[in-house]
Amino acid sequence: MALAAIPVLAQPALGQAADPYDPPSLTFTPDAAAAQDFDKYFYFHRTETSFAQALADIMECDNFARATDFGMFSGSRQLMTRKANLRVCMGYKGYRRYGLPRAIWQSFNSDAVKPEPTEAERTRMVIQQARAASGPLPAQPELK
């Protein structure tokens, strides 16, 4: 996915109506059931990171994660491998992880390997992830 193909590169102005590239609300009340799945359902954030930098980092790490599974696994095992590779890459870049309930996570991530999201869906999700990664500091505690 090339940066030139990204339709929106700026955060909307404060008070401006939300657009389809805004991430979902990341505000929730944690409960024990959701917390058990935070290793599977999370997002990245790095303080003082611009949207453009977060977008470049997520695109690089997403492409790395997709390229490194080499088709050796299928289904849920392939998805686990991609998430693990994404965690390593984003962690290396200094991003922290914050847990989410599955329903919120699914609104801007795909947990399906087959069929893959369309390129338009992937673009929307990556932009939303970058906005979350460069947005306000999460209220939830960082995952270790």
Side-chain angles (χ1 to χ4, degrees):
M1 193 165 39
L3 273 176
I6 302 299
V8 178
L9 284 178
Q11 295 274 10
L14 188 60
Q16 184 177 2
D19 66 37
Y21 297 102
D22 281 342
S25 172
L26 303 174
T27 303
F28 65 96
T29 302
D31 61 40
Q36 287 180 332
D37 286 338
F38 284 170
D39 269 355
K40 291 189 265 184
Y41 306 113
F42 54 84
Y43 70 104
F44 297 100
H45 183 271
R46 187 172 71 189
T47 305
E48 298 183 18
T49 297
S50 70
F51 167 72
Q53 184 62 57
L55 181 62
D57 291 341
I58 289 172
M59 287 175 51
E60 179 182 5
C61 290
D62 183 62
N63 288 333
F64 165 75
R66 290 175 181 284
T68 55
D69 66 39
F70 303 113
M72 295 185 302
F73 305 110
S74 62
S76 63
R77 181 80 170 156
Q78 185 177 15
L79 184 61
M80 286 176 24
T81 302
R82 284 184 185 175
K83 282 183 179 180
N85 289 338
L86 185 65
R87 274 176 75 169
V88 168
C89 184
M90 292 296 284
Y92 177 77
K93 292 177 177 290
Y95 287 85
R96 307 287 188 242
R97 289 183 316 117
Y98 297 87
L100 287 174
R102 182 178 187 197
I104 295 174
W105 183 89
Q106 284 180 318
S107 67
F108 68 124
N109 289 274
S110 173
D111 61 359
V113 176
K114 302 276 187 223
E116 292 275 347
T118 66
E119 197 58 32
E121 290 169 330
R122 246 182 104 214
T123 298
R124 177 188 54 79
M125 289 186 279
V126 168
I127 290 171
Q128 290 174 315
Q129 292 165 21
R131 285 187 173 175
S134 61
L137 183 66
Q140 308 302 339
E142 175 187 342
L143 298 176
K144 297 298 176 192

